[in-house]
Structures are given as C-alpha cells and as structure tokens.
C-alpha cells in the first residue's frame, strides 16, 4: 500500500483510475477496499460564510419582502423575473467528490464562500 501514498487525490477518484495508477487489476483494488486496506471517502465542499456574506444574504431576503398596507401583512414578492444561477457555473465543479484513500490518510478540505463560487 506504500504505492498509494504518492498518488494525488484527483487520480484516485474511481476504482478503475486508481488501479491504472497502481498498475494492478481493478478487481485487486476492489478486494483491498473490501478488506479495509483502502477506504472510500466522500469529499464535500463546506461553506465558509463571512459576516459580510451573511449580511448580504439578509439584505437580499429583506428586499424580497413586500408590505401590504390593506391586509397589514408582509409577503414575499414574486420572483418570476429573477435568475439565481447560471447553468455553466453550476455544472463546472461538483460540490461532492469521491476518493479512495488509505485508512490513516487525512482527507482534503475544501472551503468556499458560496456553492456558486467553488474554488478547489
């Protein structure tokens, strides 16, 4: 298993790719996973919200409120003319990835200010 220590995380995302990097059969890698010599790990990007981000989100939410003086109610405005995400940015980077690692290996940490600004 010493062979695995030099392999970057990007090259251990699938069993087939890991087997190619190690120079072994993919069935052998599957056996190692079953025996517990290699563990699958889900890499999740965590949000790192600053005080400024929280304040901007609060202002956005408050701007979406409409006060109705007739019924004395507060309602959300219609959001039919608002686009929240651009599809090309949404599919650019996945927020969850799977890697195969050694049991004692530390997992990579990914932080982003928002899921729309993924910087891994």
């Amino acid at each position: 298993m010493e062979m695995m220590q030099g392999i970057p995380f990007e090259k251990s995302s699938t069993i087939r790719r890991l087997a190619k990097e190690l120079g072994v059969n993919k069935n052998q890698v599957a056996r190692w996973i079953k025996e517990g010599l290699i563990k699958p790990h889900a890499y999740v990007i965590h949000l790192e919200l600053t005080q400024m981000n929280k304040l901007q989100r609060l202002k956005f939410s408050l701007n979406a409120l409409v006060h109705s003086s007739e019924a004395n109610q507060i309602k959300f405005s219609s959001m039919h003319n608002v686009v929240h995400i651009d599809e090309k940015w949404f599919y650019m980077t996945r927020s969850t990835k799977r890697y195969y690692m050694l049991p004692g290996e530390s997992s990579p940490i990914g932080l982003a200010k928002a899921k729309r600004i993924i910087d891994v």
Side-chain angles (χ1 to χ4, degrees):
M1 299 285 62
E2 298 84 27
M3 306 178 287
M4 248 186 94
Q5 291 180 352
I7 297 175
F9 287 114
E10 296 83 32
K11 294 187 177 182
S12 64
S13 58
T14 63
I15 293 175
R16 182 177 288 167
R17 192 162 183 190
L18 181 60
K20 181 182 175 188
E21 291 297 318
L22 292 173
V24 297
N25 191 332
K26 64 180 180 174
N27 294 328
Q28 180 64 43
V29 174
R31 268 188 240 114
W32 289 338
I33 292 170
K34 191 173 182 179
E35 293 170 1
L37 299 174
I38 298 174
K39 67 173 186 168
H41 177 73
Y43 170 80
V44 180
I45 293 179
H46 301 282
L47 295 180
E48 181 185 40
L49 292 177
T50 62
Q51 290 298 325
M52 183 59 83
N53 294 120
K54 291 177 186 178
L55 186 62
Q56 287 175 345
R57 287 180 178 208
L58 181 63
K59 285 181 181 178
F60 179 80
S61 298
L62 289 175
N63 286 337
L65 296 176
V66 176
H67 181 69
S68 173
S69 59
E70 301 167 356
N72 203 14
Q73 292 180 340
I74 298 175
K75 296 182 178 181
F76 279 101
S77 64
S78 171
M79 305 282 283
H80 295 297
N81 60 348
V82 178
V83 177
H84 290 281
I85 192 163
D86 189 359
E87 190 173 336
K88 70 177 182 180
W89 291 104
F90 183 73
Y91 291 111
M92 184 181 257
T93 302
R94 294 181 5 200
S95 60
T96 304
K97 296 179 183 178
R98 176 176 290 266
Y99 294 111
Y100 293 94
M101 311 167 36
L102 294 173
E105 215 171 359
S106 62
S107 61
I109 298 172
L111 295 174
K113 290 189 177 182
K115 283 207 176 191
R116 62 184 174 84
I117 308 171
I118 298 175
D119 188 25
V120 179

